[in-house]
Amino acid sequence: MKIESIERGNYYHIYNRGNNGADVFFEHENYLHFLRLYDKYMDVISETFAWCLMRNHFHILIYFKEVREMGTNAEIKPGVYKDPSRQLSHLFNSYTQAVNKRYNRTGSIFERTFERKRIDSEDYLRKVIYYIHNNPVAHGAVQEIKDYPWSSYKAIISQETSILNKEQVLDLFGDKENFIAYHNQKDGGG
């Protein structure tokens, strides 16, 4: 099976699960550490639109910036623009190393290759945002999207600063009230 390459200037649904479906997050601190690493490796090269971390898998909706969109951020060495796939690999490898060290284990945590699907329309973008936020409901972790602590749903509707491109996400749905209404539908608006 050929793996789709990641091209800058596009939105992608990135997801992966634990090796053989095993857990990848074991305690509260693991979720926080993954998000810190995500910010470290992905902030400069991307914009985040939605995320959800489940015990044995994760979903991220991300836009990979064109080189010209990255500006002159101090974290980017002059003339060096980081490859999106390589940055994702650094993120997953760093997280794996931290978990292995903390729990005195060896080997990979995630399946070998992360999955990616390019998003090609605004309608698909809205549906993927809903899909990501509804994942805990679909897997029986909670009854309502708003009750799951490890997704971007609450951050999008809050006033707090986050790594998310909240304004653009809300604009996709019209406004915050429509975003909430769309997410309260059992079929995700479609």
Side-chain angles (χ1 to χ4, degrees), residues 74-182:
E75 294 179 37
I76 301 176
K77 295 176 183 167
V80 177
Y81 292 94
K82 299 173 182 176
D83 175 76
S85 291
R86 182 168 290 158
Q87 286 304 101
L88 286 164
S89 292
H90 290 323
L91 162 64
F92 304 144
N93 289 334
S94 292
Y95 180 75
T96 297
Q97 289 172 6
V99 167
N100 283 350
K101 183 176 180 181
R102 181 172 177 105
Y103 300 104
N104 196 29
R105 65 180 302 282
T106 60
S108 63
I109 293 219
F110 298 107
E111 289 190 345
R112 184 178 171 113
T113 304
F114 63 90
E115 302 289 333
R116 77 282 321 255
K117 290 186 180 176
R118 186 166 31 166
I119 311 301
D120 57 5
S121 73
E122 280 192 9
D123 185 53
Y124 188 24
L125 196 58
R126 280 188 291 274
K127 287 179 179 176
V128 171
I129 290 169
Y130 171 82
Y131 174 83
I132 289 172
H133 290 149
N134 192 58
N135 216 257
V137 175
H139 287 279
V142 293
Q143 294 288 319
E144 295 184 41
I145 291 171
K146 67 180 178 64
D147 295 331
Y148 192 71
W150 299 110
S151 86
S152 56
Y153 178 80
K154 286 182 186 178
I156 289 171
I157 61 173
S158 79
Q159 298 298 319
E160 295 179 26
T161 304
S162 77
I163 62 171
L164 296 162
N165 189 329
K166 295 194 291 189
E167 186 177 309
Q168 192 171 347
V169 170
L170 293 175
D171 284 349
L172 280 168
F173 293 87
D175 57 26
K176 183 161 96 172
E177 290 72 28
N178 285 327
F179 173 84
I180 292 168
Y182 190 100

Side-chain angles (χ1 to χ4, degrees), residues 1-101:
M1 180 173 91
K2 186 177 179 191
I3 297 171
E4 180 178 8
S5 63
I6 293 177
E7 298 175 13
R8 294 184 186 283
N10 289 288
Y11 296 87
Y12 288 88
H13 177 194
I14 305 289
Y15 53 101
N16 204 349
R17 67 180 191 151
N19 231 348
N20 297 313
D23 287 352
V24 294
F25 302 107
F26 305 98
E27 61 181 275
H28 182 85
E29 177 56 31
N30 298 149
Y31 295 94
L32 293 174
H33 189 63
F34 184 89
L35 293 171
R36 284 190 297 267
L37 289 172
Y38 179 84
D39 189 43
K40 174 182 176 181
Y41 288 106
M42 305 311 296
D43 181 55
V44 174
I45 67 163
S46 65
E47 292 181 25
T48 306
F49 288 80
W51 58 267
C52 184
L53 308 180
M54 301 289 291
R55 283 184 69 155
N56 70 346
H57 68 283
F58 68 85
H59 296 270
I60 303 166
L61 179 55
I62 191 167
Y63 170 79
F64 290 102
K65 297 175 186 175
E66 299 275 4
V67 171
R68 62 179 166 67
E69 294 173 300
M70 287 191 253
T72 57
N73 192 307
E75 294 179 37
I76 301 176
K77 295 176 183 167
V80 177
Y81 292 94
K82 299 173 182 176
D83 175 76
S85 291
R86 182 168 290 158
Q87 286 304 101
L88 286 164
S89 292
H90 290 323
L91 162 64
F92 304 144
N93 289 334
S94 292
Y95 180 75
T96 297
Q97 289 172 6
V99 167
N100 283 350
K101 183 176 180 181

